[in-house]
Amino acid sequence: MDFKKFLPHLFAVFTLVAVAAVFFAPNAFQGKALPQPDNDKARGMQTEIQSYIKSEGEAPLWTNSAFGGMPSYQIYAPVYGNLTAPLLSVLLLWGDTTDVWLQVLLAMLCMYLLLMTLQTDWRVGIFGALAYSITTYHVDILEAGHTTKMVALALMPGVLAGLVLAFSNKLLLGGGLMALFLSLQVNANHVQITYYTLLLSGIFFVAKLVDAAREKKWAEWSKAFVACSLAIALGFLANTSRLWPTYEYSQETIRGVSELSQKKSKGDGLDKDYLFGWSYGIGESLTLLVPHFAGGGAGETYKGTKLYNAVSPQARNQINGLFYTGDQPFVGTAIYFGAIVVLLFFFGAWLVPGGLKYWLVAGSVFMISLAWGKNFFLNFVWYDHLPMFNKFRAVSMALGIAQLCLAVLGALGLQRLCDRDIAVEKKKRALLWATGITGGLCLLALAMGSTSGQYDTNLQQDPELLRLLQEDRADMLRSDVFRSLFFVAVGAGLIWLYLAGRMRAGLAVALVTLFALADNWLVTNRTISAQKYENKRVATAPPQPTEQDIQIKQDPDPHFRVLDLSRGGITGNAITSYFHKSLSGYHAAKLQRFQEVLDTFFNPALGQSLHIVGMLNGKYIVGQKGELMPNQQACGNAWFVPKFTVLTDADQELQALRNLDPKAEAIISGTYAEPLNGLNIQFDSTAKIRLSKYHPSKMEYEYSANTEQLAVFSEMYYPPSKGWKCYLNGQPAPDFTKVNYLLRAMRLPAGQNMKLEMRFQPRSYELGEHISRITSGLILLLFVAGLIFWYRKGQSLGDPSRLSDMPATPKPARSDEGAKKAKPRKK
């Protein structure tokens, strides 16, 4: 192997490291961090889990720090069996996974790897890596703190690189690489991005199938398809201890089937309104080429606009969200792919042959159409018939996958530009078509742009400010149209100079890359700037407790819950979880029953539902204005009830909560009543039960009773078949059942100083860890074997330099007669 061929790749990696570090300089060089609200909320939800990791060295599988109690799988996944997981730390240079520059660098390196498998020049690889990574979409999710999403997007090109290698007759290496990166991506724990990755892979299979049919290469396609299918299976099996428990949990969440008859008829999955809540407008898609076509996002800065200058300094931070004119509730920033990237996408669509082109064109169109959500009729077909489509919300995130498709096809177009086997005239026609389409779309944006938006009503009381806002929108649109036209003209001009033989290939690619980077760099800086970074310790520090938090912590009994309405509502507040066991939280997959009680009782009339808060052991309520209110109806951790009532179904059970006295009675749906068959409570008023030892995954109670009793626990019900095991005096005991729609209940035999334990020991996790360990080890062996086999076969990296210069255009020679007639220059 010629190691000199590594040198251009080393230079490319050095270039990408430098660009990522400079772009995120405060993070890379000064150790500063972006304030990331979603990461702050995640840290709040993880507080209890992390405290047990520090004290015991192991993460509990259950937590009571959010929504009254839930499995910890989607908050902090205590997964150890996936042996490929440590490689992610290596790919992130052993840095902090929340360091934004390392996440973007990972995306660059994986994209570079994908383009090398597609046999592009190393300089074209740099272009594609930058076109995919330095984008407004990535900046938007980084600033929000969507770390798992960003890491999953960063790893996606690595998955596709394995796919490409497998279909390039490198079955072992390609399959091993695909399995390795898919294992890492699934471990990153953003299932929706992995789902979209598989959809894009499916389009690739179809495109290659068409090629195989045309070329009569069925055997080759079949072998590659089998290799990739096995790689996908291995990648998922390596994460069994994450996916299996998560699947079990999803059935109990708002993504599963409700027990309520009205919802049960709709089947499982998210409600359409909720799923399509963030639907990208069809016309709004012009922001991909003209960033301020839809006004802009709330995360951008509008310094220097007329509205900014007209309002008081105190109000300037409040106007950012007013500029947006699109269809979504709000956006952090305009999603912009880059004018030169779009130009090269259409250029590549003309020049790149075969299945690769159709894969990337179809993939980009499909992903953009998915982002349209409720605005595009086919998405309702996918909702009804495409497996798992109805499990994921915020479909606009499909734009991140579309960005990859455009960047790859643009890079392949740039590669084909420098291919001498293609006629110059064909290249020129491709350039004219691409320039005409891209420029025409810019002008269409100018014609279609609107100065009115959904937030104009906020300024109806001040017509002058509304006029200034609409003038600003018009100015921003006009400016961005001409800005995009400028970059289109620059990109087209550089290509034309190359085709005319006036510029060498390497210089042309370098200048196109430089201008494309400058284009995206300038637009992303509208959202992210050095002023937004903070000292890392400050940015990641937990919030300070309020006076109310301090008062609550003075309670000598720490085992109760708090309902805090002062920090963003029940479903938008994870800050309380830093300090207390909370009834609020922030998570996209809440337990279905809790959400239904929330919608039925807490949201419309919380003041009349304090008994329900009480049965969840909500001992303190913090009002919206910060007022602290002890809840006199708090029931404690466990209590005996004198009677229970069996109701027909879940509908009756939910409605019966309205007037329930949880201390005096338990209500139970007939579906769950079998464990109580034959129970005739002889209520013992002297009986006592108390929580004697607390651990999120192991609750211990002591009780004494002269007769058999029915105990109700203020713990959230979760099916015993999915993990909870009960033990009485150390011996296995019958499972608990569900009462009061949310809670656990258990019939307990008479006895004195009896000890009851509830342990969360999900078989899906314990067995999953073994499966993960075995499968991930196999993936590592296959990948190493693929590398060894590739090396021993004498296969090289190929020539990293794949650009061809155009023949120089000869200068017209002067005739002898003309030379004789030429007059001498006067001195």
Side-chain angles (χ1 to χ4, degrees), residues 12 35 80 88-89 99 158 233 238 283 289-290 320 327 332 387 396 566 637 778 815:
Y80 309 103
L88 181 58
S89 178
D99 281 338
L289 181 59
V290 179
N320 293 10
D327 292 356
S396 59
S566 67
N637 302 110
L778 180 60
S815 66

Side-chain angles (χ1 to χ4, degrees), residues 212-436:
R214 186 184 299 117
E215 299 169 8
K216 301 294 190 290
K217 293 184 177 180
W218 299 104
E220 291 84 347
W221 182 90
S222 299
K223 291 176 183 178
F225 178 77
V226 170
C228 291
S229 299
L230 290 174
I232 292 172
L234 289 173
F236 277 91
L237 285 172
N239 291 277
T240 303
S241 56
R242 183 188 297 278
L243 294 174
W244 188 1
T246 297
Y247 170 72
E248 287 185 335
Y249 173 62
S250 70
Q251 295 174 313
E252 306 299 319
T253 70
I254 55 177
R255 287 164 167 75
V257 179
S258 172
E259 293 181 346
L260 299 178
S261 57
Q262 184 178 3
K263 292 184 176 181
K264 187 185 296 185
S265 61
K266 298 179 181 179
D268 64 351
L270 296 170
D271 180 81
K272 289 180 182 178
D273 292 337
Y274 183 69
L275 187 146
F276 292 132
W278 256 261
S279 293
Y280 197 57
I282 295 178
E284 192 177 352
S285 303
L286 286 170
T287 67
L288 305 179
L289 181 59
V290 179
H292 275 152
F293 173 77
E300 299 179 44
T301 177
Y302 297 95
K303 187 176 181 179
T305 60
K306 297 174 183 177
L307 182 61
Y308 181 94
N309 294 331
V311 301
S312 65
Q314 296 78 13
R316 286 172 178 170
N317 290 332
Q318 302 172 15
I319 67 170
N320 293 10
L322 301 178
F323 284 82
Y324 179 61
T325 62
D327 292 356
Q328 301 172 83
F330 64 87
V331 294
T333 189
I335 305 304
Y336 176 62
F337 285 176
I340 292 178
V341 174
V342 174
L343 169 72
L344 288 173
F345 170 78
F346 287 116
F347 185 73
W350 187 276
L351 289 183
V352 176
L356 276 179
K357 172 176 69 177
Y358 297 117
W359 168 49
L360 294 167
V361 170
S364 59
V365 171
F366 180 61
M367 290 299 165
I368 292 172
S369 71
L370 286 186
W372 290 340
K374 63 184 178 184
N375 300 311
F376 187 55
F377 74 98
L378 274 181
N379 288 322
F380 292 97
V381 177
W382 307 141
Y383 179 92
D384 292 330
H385 302 291
L386 187 62
M388 290 189 69
F389 182 81
N390 63 359
K391 303 289 186 180
F392 306 110
R393 68 184 294 265
V395 290
S396 59
M397 74 174 67
L399 293 174
I401 289 80
Q403 175 86 56
L404 178 140
C405 294
L406 266 76
V408 172
L409 188 53
L412 292 177
L414 197 57
Q415 182 66 46
R416 298 286 288 179
L417 168 69
C418 304
D419 187 344
R420 282 193 174 181
D421 293 336
I422 302 175
V424 175
E425 289 305 315
K426 184 175 182 180
K427 295 177 183 178
K428 288 181 177 179
R429 284 196 300 272
L431 178 60
L432 290 174
W433 274 105
T435 305

Side-chain angles (χ1 to χ4, degrees), residues 679-733:
L679 174 60
N680 183 19
I681 300 176
Q682 303 297 317
F683 186 63
D684 180 3
S685 59
T686 65
K688 295 181 180 179
I689 184 170
R690 68 182 184 89
L691 178 68
S692 56
K693 187 176 180 180
Y694 174 81
H695 185 285
S697 297
K698 185 179 178 181
M699 312 289 286
E700 295 185 8
Y701 301 86
E702 291 181 357
Y703 79 90
S704 296
N706 295 318
T707 57
E708 185 180 29
Q709 299 294 309
L710 178 61
V712 178
F713 304 87
S714 62
E715 302 303 321
M716 196 66 63
Y717 175 81
Y718 191 70
S721 61
K722 297 182 179 181
W724 281 107
K725 306 299 180 186
C726 295
Y727 299 86
L728 196 59
N729 290 339
Q731 299 301 314

